[in-house]
Amino acid sequence: MCGIVGCVGLEDSKNYLIGGLKVLEYRGYDSAGIAMIADDEVHVRKAVGMVAELEKMCHDFPRKGSVGIAHTRWATHGGVTQDNAHPHMDAAGNIAVVHNGIVENHNALRTLLEREGIKFKTQTDTEVIAHLVSKFYEDDLAEAVRLALREIRGTFGIAVISKKEPNVLVAARMGSPLVLGVGKDCLLLASDAAPILPYTQQAIYLNNGELLKATPQGYEFFSLDRTSITPKIEELDQQLESIELGQFPHYMLKEIYDQPTSLENTLRGRLKAEAGDVHLGGPGLSLKTIHALNRVIIVGCGTSFHAGLCAKYLFEEFLRIPCEVEYASELRYRNPIVRPKSDLAIFISQSGETADTLAALRELQRKGCRTLGIVNVVNSSIAREVDSGIYTHAGMEIGVASTKAFTAQVAALTLFALYLGRSRDFSSFVLQEMTESLAKIPTLIEDYLVDTTQIEDIAEEVRNARNLLYLGRGYQYPVALEGALKMKEISYIHAEGYPAAEMKHGPIALVDENMPVVAIATRDRTYEKVVSNMQEIKARNGKIIAVTTEGNTDIEKLAWRTIYVPHTIEPIQPLLTSIPLQLLAYYVAVKNGRNVDKPRNLAKSVTVE
Ligand code: M6R
């Protein structure tokens, strides 16, 4: 939800700011803006639409500024207009602010400022920050920002510059991430590390409640009560290639093809297939805690929720631990029952910044629950706040539709189940079979991805459908939900995921000769049952696209199209069945001319509730 960049001391500030916004565009892309101080002036440009629109407006924008900030927006307060795009200015036009987050008390502050004679130019919550900074400004921008932020309730990652202090960039964080890249002669601010990578590997992650003052002479960190802080410089371990498209037309396709490697990375050093064992340093659970575990609560949103559902089957069947999977947005406002001595809550998030998941985490921590994170982005808020965790190591995911993050989450959850199981009920036979099967998955996906023309052809045949139904049972039910989510979010075709048998209780009414039904029918315990459900659809002239395991040719008698995936053991088969469904959504969206990596109305990381 919104991306921020800022810089001090760069020869080509415009290049960093515009280039940085392009990298952060996955966080929001309805409008963008830039402000820079050059020749004693604050230069500002704003554009509705993608960063490319802003770039077009910036041909005559100064290349070099003493300081600069820029923003790509996902609208919350105020429509998508040029005025509402950031940066926002104070009344005199001296101070410019970019903001990621929400000022919850903006209405009260606006009324107060209006009474003092301020005329607002936008409908945004952010504009109050610019006016407040101006109100408290005497001769120290950092102090004015600090005082302004004391008035604000809500979340923020902000960057502020002022014409009166042309060499100063001030930033602060409360809830919305910010990282400072420390270059040889420059300081670079961004919402995540990606824009910084081409310039430096040294970075400082801002903590909540921290304020930064950056100048050509260096940086200072303070708390909001003005106590000086010594920050920790970290070495970024991301590689530049992870943000480069290479030969791929879209990040989503690149990330689908990344999966053999990303899964290798999730498993590396953890899975000991030859020994039938698993080593996880992250969870840090004592034997006593593992034995006392009596319930697992898994929390997430969207795709991460679906990964959690996959784990429910595994945890209950093999670990015999009751497992509840909860939408973070629902859990946080219930009054969930927690038994601190025997519950473990697992929070799944690619970004580690999802507002609802973070709030649910805090809610369960408040009740004394032990927490574990399954997170992709290192140093993200959820990763920092959980008691312990497992990084998924999927690498940076830029496409809004989650693909490699999903399979990495499922793999990490499977590793965690094995980690618990080796000290509980797993026999050495189960451990051996699961570890060996898991180890083979990256190669199986790699082989599968060699030729995807069949999926492209099926996409051509279903691209004009108005509705699709995705059916699965058991371990494949969450895959059906995930397949439908992928289809709707990037192709804008209505798609519903359903438990295959439950379909008889309503959705079957939708089935006719125009309705493609994706039925996941892998050779497992529910196979015969799913086949019966397919019969019911065929009897109503539905067009069945069967996703089945190799060799299962019988199914062709029932299916309109059949997609074969390699076979593995039931609990990890979702790692393979999810791949053609990702591809199907991708190709349908491309054929229908959708903006695959930046679908409408969405943003990669949902930092508002
Ligand atoms: O970063 P998170 O995993 O916490 O994000 C959760 C959802 O917003 C995310 O999975 C979303 O559903 C994806 N865009 C789906 O592809």
Side-chain angles (χ1 to χ4, degrees):
M1 299 276 135
C2 304
I4 291 179
V5 280
C7 62
V8 179
L10 271 182
E11 271 308 306
D12 196 340
S13 326
K14 179 170 107 175
N15 188 40
Y16 171 70
L17 295 172
I18 299 280
L21 285 190
K22 285 187 181 163
V23 175
L24 292 182
E25 204 167 32
Y26 72 89
R27 302 177 69 89
Y29 34 85
D30 57 42
S31 51
I34 182 170
M36 198 196 279
I37 300 189
D39 314 318
D40 296 325
E41 283 304 319
V42 190
H43 301 263
V44 181
R45 297 282 156 84
K46 302 186 194 192
V48 169
M50 314 272 290
V51 176
E53 298 304 314
L54 177 70
E55 191 174 24
K56 280 186 212 153
M57 290 173 69
C58 286
H59 287 308
D60 57 344
F61 199 77
R63 293 214 79 79
K64 182 178 180 185
S66 49
V67 291
I69 55 178
H71 185 271
T72 178
R73 181 172 187 238
W74 187 87
T76 57
H77 294 63
V80 179
T81 64
Q82 195 171 20
D83 281 345
N84 287 338
H86 298 215
H88 294 293
M89 312 293 292
D90 68 330
N94 290 335
I95 294 167
V97 177
V98 291
H99 170 221
N100 172 24
I102 290 185
V103 181
E104 285 167 6
N105 56 340
H106 71 103
N107 271 331
L109 291 169
R110 182 181 271 253
T111 311
L112 213 83
L113 289 160
E114 278 172 345
R115 267 195 220 128
E116 291 173 10
I118 303 285
K119 291 208 175 358
F120 276 76
K121 298 189 193 87
T122 78
Q123 289 88 50
T124 64
D125 54 336
T126 305
E127 194 181 345
V128 298
I129 304 179
H131 296 305
L132 281 174
V133 173
S134 166
K135 176 176 162 167
F136 291 114
Y137 195 20
E138 289 179 359
D139 52 8
D140 181 348
L141 183 63
E143 179 61 3
V145 171
R146 186 180 79 82
L147 293 172
L149 293 180
R150 288 169 69 118
E151 304 295 312
I152 282 169
R153 219 179 51 238
T155 53
F156 52 80
I158 58 164
V160 188
I161 56 175
S162 163
K163 183 172 151 181
K164 291 193 196 151
E165 288 176 74
N167 290 313
V168 176
L169 168 73
V170 177
R173 169 186 174 155
M174 182 65 76
S176 307
L178 281 178
V179 53
L180 180 74
V182 183
K184 199 157 155 278
D185 302 308
C186 61
L187 293 169
L188 306 158
L189 186 76
S191 294
D192 70 37
I196 294 168
L197 283 177
Y199 296 81
T200 177
Q201 296 282 116
Q202 309 262 292
I204 300 168
Y205 287 87
L206 275 79
N207 291 308
N208 281 337
E210 282 183 2
L211 191 121
L212 152 75
K213 178 176 176 180
T215 66
Q217 285 70 48
Y219 54 81
E220 293 172 86
F221 280 77
F222 308 96
S223 63
L224 292 181
D225 64 6
R226 191 100 223 200
T227 313
S228 174
I229 291 168
T230 309
K232 190 170 139 229
I233 299 190
E234 302 192 22
E235 194 72 24
L236 295 173
D237 65 358
Q238 285 167 28
Q239 300 303 317
L240 203 51
E241 307 88 74
S242 65
I243 57 168
E244 285 167 353
L245 262 177
Q247 83 224 39
F248 294 97
H250 299 102
Y251 280 107
M252 182 178 175
L253 191 63
K254 170 186 181 286
E255 287 157 5
I256 291 173
Y257 274 83
D258 275 351
Q259 287 175 111
T261 311
S262 55
L263 282 167
E264 293 268 11
N265 291 339
T266 309
L267 304 178
R268 181 165 305 120
R270 295 162 162 179
L271 189 70
K272 311 283 172 195
E274 325 74 52
D277 205 0
V278 160
H279 290 279
L280 286 180
L285 302 179
S286 69
L287 214 54
K288 193 168 159 220
T289 309
I290 294 177
H291 286 155
L293 255 191
N294 208 14
R295 183 171 64 146
V296 173
I297 307 165
I298 302 185
V299 186
C301 300
T303 290
S304 298
F305 173 83
H306 295 154
L309 272 183
C310 290
K312 175 182 169 72
Y313 289 85
L314 182 61
F315 280 44
E316 294 196 336
E317 181 178 4
F318 288 92
L319 291 168
R320 310 303 298 152
I321 303 179
C323 178
E324 291 163 20
V325 187
E326 301 260 7
Y327 283 117
S329 52
E330 287 298 312
L331 180 88
R332 64 180 291 195
Y333 289 119
R334 282 215 324 272
N335 189 7
I337 299 163
V338 170
R339 301 179 202 98
K341 288 202 179 112
S342 56
D343 283 352
L344 173 73
I346 302 180
F347 295 83
I348 309 179
S349 177
Q350 187 286 127
S351 62
E353 301 294 345
T354 300
D356 284 320
T357 310
L358 190 55
L361 162 64
R362 290 175 181 157
E363 177 64 13
L364 290 197
Q365 273 179 336
R366 195 176 61 79
K367 289 175 180 281
C369 192
R370 184 186 295 275
T371 61
L372 180 113
I374 306 270
V375 175
N376 192 34
V377 177
V378 176
N379 260 317
S380 54
S381 301
I382 295 172
R384 287 153 174 245
E385 293 192 26
V386 283
D387 298 330
S388 61
I390 304 169
Y391 280 121
T392 51
H393 295 312
M396 190 153 186
E397 192 180 66
I398 293 176
V400 164
S402 216
T403 51
K404 64 176 178 176
F406 172 75
T407 45
Q409 288 165 345
V410 173
L413 285 157
T414 309
L415 285 175
F416 185 59
L418 291 166
Y419 162 88
L420 293 179
R422 66 198 281 279
S423 307
R424 288 182 57 129
D425 301 338
F426 277 26
S427 66
S428 54
F429 170 76
V430 168
L431 272 170
Q432 191 72 50
E433 186 185 34
M434 282 210 189
T435 49
E436 278 176 10
S437 306
L438 202 50
K440 288 181 188 144
I441 295 289
T443 312
L444 291 177
I445 297 180
E446 192 170 19
D447 294 346
Y448 179 78
L449 287 172
V450 168
D451 181 7
T452 61
T453 44
Q454 184 210 11
I455 313 285
E456 268 191 88
D457 295 344
I458 297 175
E460 183 60 38
E461 292 171 309
V462 300
R463 59 178 280 215
N464 295 318
R466 297 191 56 208
N467 299 288
L468 277 108
L469 201 53
Y470 285 69
L471 303 177
R473 285 185 92 142
Y475 286 92
Q476 299 303 332
Y477 163 51
V479 179
L481 294 179
E482 176 59 11
L485 175 62
K486 289 290 88 93
M487 182 60 80
K488 63 190 142 199
E489 76 173 320
I490 59 166
S491 74
Y492 318 150
I493 296 174
H494 171 241
E496 246 186 281
Y498 239 75
E502 187 63 20
M503 168 257 336
K504 288 193 289 295
H505 301 280
I508 199 164
L510 296 167
V511 174
D512 63 15
E513 64 283 1
N514 299 315
M515 176 78 150
V517 179
V518 178
I520 310 163
T522 44
R523 270 274 172 209
D524 57 33
R525 281 164 297 170
T526 60
Y527 177 69
E528 302 296 340
K529 308 277 175 204
V530 178
V531 168
S532 304
N533 302 138
M534 288 167 68
Q535 300 276 15
E536 290 150 11
I537 291 164
K538 193 170 164 82
R540 285 152 188 89
N541 300 321
K543 292 160 100 171
I544 299 170
I545 301 163
V547 178
T548 192
T549 28
E550 273 161 4
N552 204 20
T553 47
D554 277 5
I555 211 150
E556 290 183 22
K557 290 185 207 126
L558 265 179
W560 170 59
R561 297 287 177 265
T562 305
I563 298 169
Y564 291 101
V565 294
H567 183 266
T568 184
I569 55 169
E570 199 175 341
I572 57 171
Q573 188 73 57
L575 291 169
L576 298 170
T577 43
S578 53
I579 310 291
L581 303 192
Q582 296 170 349
L583 286 164
L584 184 64
Y586 171 79
Y587 286 122
V588 168
V590 170
K591 285 173 188 294
N592 288 352
R594 306 299 186 213
N595 189 342
V596 176
D597 286 333
K598 300 183 186 93
R600 70 184 179 201
N601 304 340
L602 286 166
K604 181 72 182 160
S605 139
V606 183
T607 55
V608 294
E609 65 168 289

